[in-house]
Amino acid sequence: MRLFKLLVIGVIILCGLSFLLSLLFPSTAVVERTGVINAPIDTVYAHVSNLRAWDGWNPWTRPDSTATLVYSDPAAGTGAWYSWEGKLNSGKVTILDSAPGKGVHYLLDIKGVRPVNSGIELKPTADGKGTAIFWHQEIKLGLLPWWKLRGFVADKIYGPVMESGLTKLSQVCEHR
Protein backbone atom coordinates (compact mmCIF):
# COMPACT_ATOMS: atom_id res chain seq x y z
CA MET A 1 0.00 0.00 0.00
CA ARG A 2 2.87 2.36 0.77
CA LEU A 3 4.33 1.81 -2.69
CA PHE A 4 0.98 2.64 -4.26
CA LYS A 5 0.76 5.91 -2.27
CA LEU A 6 4.28 6.87 -3.33
CA LEU A 7 3.44 6.12 -6.94
CA VAL A 8 0.26 8.25 -6.83
CA ILE A 9 2.09 11.13 -5.11
CA GLY A 10 4.90 10.87 -7.68
CA VAL A 11 2.46 11.04 -10.58
CA ILE A 12 0.70 14.06 -9.04
CA ILE A 13 4.02 15.86 -8.51
CA LEU A 14 5.13 15.04 -12.07
CA CYS A 15 1.86 16.37 -13.51
CA GLY A 16 2.13 19.54 -11.41
CA LEU A 17 5.72 20.15 -12.48
CA SER A 18 4.80 19.53 -16.13
CA PHE A 19 2.02 22.08 -15.90
CA LEU A 20 4.24 24.66 -14.20
CA LEU A 21 7.01 24.11 -16.75
CA SER A 22 4.52 24.48 -19.61
CA LEU A 23 3.68 27.98 -18.36
CA LEU A 24 7.13 28.99 -19.63
CA PHE A 25 6.35 27.78 -23.16
CA PRO A 26 4.89 30.19 -25.74
CA SER A 27 1.09 30.40 -25.86
CA THR A 28 1.00 30.68 -29.67
CA ALA A 29 2.62 28.80 -32.52
CA VAL A 30 3.32 30.61 -35.78
CA VAL A 31 3.89 28.79 -39.07
CA GLU A 32 5.06 30.86 -42.03
CA ARG A 33 5.97 30.15 -45.63
CA THR A 34 6.99 32.48 -48.45
CA GLY A 35 7.38 32.18 -52.17
CA VAL A 36 7.39 33.98 -55.50
CA ILE A 37 4.79 33.37 -58.17
CA ASN A 38 5.57 34.40 -61.74
CA ALA A 39 2.16 35.92 -62.33
CA PRO A 40 0.67 39.40 -61.87
CA ILE A 41 -0.51 40.27 -58.39
CA ASP A 42 -4.14 40.63 -59.61
CA THR A 43 -4.12 37.04 -60.86
CA VAL A 44 -2.80 35.71 -57.55
CA TYR A 45 -5.23 37.87 -55.58
CA ALA A 46 -8.14 36.47 -57.60
CA HIS A 47 -7.20 32.97 -56.43
CA VAL A 48 -6.67 33.79 -52.75
CA SER A 49 -9.67 36.10 -52.28
CA ASN A 50 -12.24 33.77 -53.90
CA LEU A 51 -12.95 30.77 -51.67
CA ARG A 52 -14.34 28.76 -54.59
CA ALA A 53 -10.89 29.04 -56.24
CA TRP A 54 -9.23 27.54 -53.14
CA ASP A 55 -10.27 24.07 -54.24
CA GLY A 56 -7.62 24.26 -56.97
CA TRP A 57 -4.66 24.99 -54.69
CA ASN A 58 -5.34 25.02 -50.94
CA PRO A 59 -4.37 21.68 -49.34
CA TRP A 60 -6.96 22.12 -46.57
CA THR A 61 -9.98 22.93 -48.74
CA ARG A 62 -11.01 19.29 -48.96
CA PRO A 63 -10.09 17.82 -45.58
CA ASP A 64 -12.38 14.87 -46.28
CA SER A 65 -13.25 13.59 -49.75
CA THR A 66 -16.80 12.86 -48.56
CA ALA A 67 -17.25 16.37 -47.11
CA THR A 68 -19.95 18.62 -48.45
CA LEU A 69 -18.95 22.24 -48.95
CA VAL A 70 -21.27 25.22 -48.59
CA TYR A 71 -20.19 28.65 -49.84
CA SER A 72 -21.47 32.10 -48.98
CA ASP A 73 -22.80 34.29 -51.75
CA PRO A 74 -20.59 36.00 -52.78
CA ALA A 75 -17.71 33.62 -52.09
CA ALA A 76 -15.04 36.30 -52.43
CA GLY A 77 -13.92 39.30 -50.40
CA THR A 78 -14.43 40.39 -46.81
CA GLY A 79 -17.12 38.39 -45.04
CA ALA A 80 -17.07 35.49 -47.51
CA TRP A 81 -17.03 32.02 -45.98
CA TYR A 82 -17.24 28.34 -46.72
CA SER A 83 -18.05 25.51 -44.38
CA TRP A 84 -17.70 21.77 -44.64
CA GLU A 85 -19.29 18.79 -42.97
CA GLY A 86 -17.72 15.37 -43.38
CA LYS A 87 -17.03 12.07 -41.69
CA LEU A 88 -13.63 13.18 -40.37
CA ASN A 89 -14.47 16.69 -39.18
CA SER A 90 -16.36 19.89 -39.87
CA GLY A 91 -15.45 23.53 -39.85
CA LYS A 92 -15.61 26.95 -41.41
CA VAL A 93 -13.26 29.42 -43.09
CA THR A 94 -14.22 33.10 -42.94
CA ILE A 95 -12.38 35.92 -44.70
CA LEU A 96 -12.05 38.67 -42.10
CA ASP A 97 -10.31 41.19 -44.35
CA SER A 98 -9.62 41.29 -48.06
CA ALA A 99 -7.70 44.03 -49.86
CA PRO A 100 -7.11 43.91 -53.62
CA GLY A 101 -3.43 43.67 -54.42
CA LYS A 102 -2.53 43.11 -50.75
CA GLY A 103 -4.07 39.80 -49.71
CA VAL A 104 -6.54 38.28 -47.25
CA HIS A 105 -6.79 37.63 -43.53
CA TYR A 106 -9.01 34.69 -42.59
CA LEU A 107 -10.11 32.58 -39.65
CA LEU A 108 -10.00 28.78 -39.86
CA ASP A 109 -12.35 27.22 -37.33
CA ILE A 110 -12.32 23.41 -37.16
CA LYS A 111 -14.72 21.71 -34.76
CA GLY A 112 -12.91 20.55 -31.63
CA VAL A 113 -9.73 22.54 -32.39
CA ARG A 114 -8.78 26.08 -31.46
CA PRO A 115 -9.44 28.68 -34.20
CA VAL A 116 -6.44 29.55 -36.37
CA ASN A 117 -5.81 33.14 -37.47
CA SER A 118 -4.26 33.09 -40.91
CA GLY A 119 -3.29 35.44 -43.66
CA ILE A 120 -1.90 35.55 -47.15
CA GLU A 121 -0.03 38.74 -47.96
CA LEU A 122 0.87 39.72 -51.51
CA LYS A 123 3.45 42.19 -52.82
CA PRO A 124 4.69 42.84 -56.33
CA THR A 125 8.23 41.65 -57.00
CA ALA A 126 10.94 44.23 -57.73
CA ASP A 127 10.55 43.81 -61.50
CA GLY A 128 6.75 44.13 -61.21
CA LYS A 129 6.12 40.94 -63.21
CA GLY A 130 5.66 38.52 -60.34
CA THR A 131 4.12 38.31 -56.89
CA ALA A 132 5.85 37.72 -53.58
CA ILE A 133 3.57 35.76 -51.25
CA PHE A 134 3.71 35.38 -47.47
CA TRP A 135 1.37 32.80 -45.90
CA HIS A 136 1.16 32.64 -42.13
CA GLN A 137 -0.91 30.88 -39.51
CA GLU A 138 -1.09 31.74 -35.83
CA ILE A 139 -2.37 28.98 -33.55
CA LYS A 140 -3.44 29.83 -30.00
CA LEU A 141 -2.28 26.95 -27.82
CA GLY A 142 -3.94 27.69 -24.48
CA LEU A 143 -2.57 26.66 -21.09
CA LEU A 144 -2.69 22.86 -21.23
CA PRO A 145 0.78 21.30 -21.46
CA TRP A 146 -0.04 18.87 -24.28
CA TRP A 147 -1.32 21.74 -26.45
CA LYS A 148 1.78 23.81 -25.74
CA LEU A 149 4.03 20.88 -26.64
CA ARG A 150 2.17 20.67 -29.94
CA GLY A 151 3.42 24.19 -30.65
CA PHE A 152 6.99 22.91 -30.90
CA VAL A 153 6.10 20.61 -33.80
CA ALA A 154 3.57 22.89 -35.53
CA ASP A 155 6.09 24.04 -38.13
CA LYS A 156 7.08 20.48 -38.97
CA ILE A 157 3.44 19.38 -39.26
CA TYR A 158 1.85 22.34 -41.07
CA GLY A 159 4.84 23.84 -42.89
CA PRO A 160 5.21 21.15 -45.59
CA VAL A 161 1.44 21.23 -46.22
CA MET A 162 1.59 25.01 -46.68
CA GLU A 163 4.57 24.61 -49.04
CA SER A 164 2.59 22.19 -51.20
CA GLY A 165 -0.27 24.68 -51.27
CA LEU A 166 2.05 27.48 -52.41
CA THR A 167 3.44 25.19 -55.12
CA LYS A 168 -0.08 24.40 -56.36
CA LEU A 169 -1.08 28.07 -56.23
CA SER A 170 2.01 28.93 -58.27
CA GLN A 171 1.13 26.28 -60.86
CA VAL A 172 -2.48 27.48 -61.09
CA CYS A 173 -1.55 31.15 -61.45
CA GLU A 174 1.36 30.66 -63.86
CA HIS A 175 -0.57 28.39 -66.24
CA ARG A 176 -3.59 30.64 -66.58
Side-chain angles (χ1 to χ4, degrees):
M1 188 59 142
R2 179 176 163 89
L3 182 62
F4 180 72
K5 282 183 183 178
L6 288 175
L7 183 64
V8 169
I9 290 171
V11 167
I12 290 171
I13 289 173
L14 184 62
C15 289
L17 287 175
S18 297
F19 179 75
L20 290 175
L21 183 62
S22 75
L23 293 176
L24 301 174
F25 297 159
S27 60
T28 60
V30 177
V31 182
E32 304 170 333
R33 290 298 184 266
T34 61
V36 174
I37 298 175
N38 295 317
I41 199 165
D42 293 338
T43 301
V44 179
Y45 177 74
H47 286 280
V48 299
S49 69
N50 186 338
L51 295 175
R52 289 187 185 273
W54 282 28
D55 200 34
W57 65 270
N58 190 322
W60 289 300
T61 300
R62 289 236 175 241
D64 180 355
S65 61
T66 64
T68 55
L69 298 176
V70 177
Y71 292 94
S72 65
D73 187 26
T78 303
W81 56 268
Y82 81 86
S83 62
W84 71 92
E85 184 77 36
K87 290 180 183 176
L88 298 177
N89 61 22
S90 60
K92 185 175 183 179
V93 172
T94 305
I95 295 180
L96 303 175
D97 186 34
S98 179
K102 293 186 179 181
V104 297
H105 177 241
Y106 64 94
L107 182 69
L108 171 62
D109 191 9
I110 301 172
K111 185 177 179 182
V113 180
R114 294 182 178 276
V116 178
N117 284 310
S118 303
I120 300 172
E121 297 175 24
L122 307 173
K123 292 183 181 176
T125 56
D127 63 5
K129 296 179 181 178
T131 304
I133 187 166
F134 174 66
W135 190 3
H136 59 93
Q137 295 189 334
E138 182 179 320
I139 306 160
K140 302 277 187 206
L141 301 172
L143 291 174
L144 298 175
W146 47 88
W147 279 103
K148 285 194 168 192
L149 289 174
R150 184 176 172 219
F152 287 110
V153 295
D155 192 68
K156 290 188 184 331
I157 294 171
Y158 304 117
V161 179
M162 291 170 71
E163 287 173 15
S164 75
L166 287 176
T167 300
K168 287 180 186 176
L169 178 60
S170 179
Q171 292 168 349
V172 167
C173 292
E174 291 173 2
H175 294 90
R176 199 158 204 254

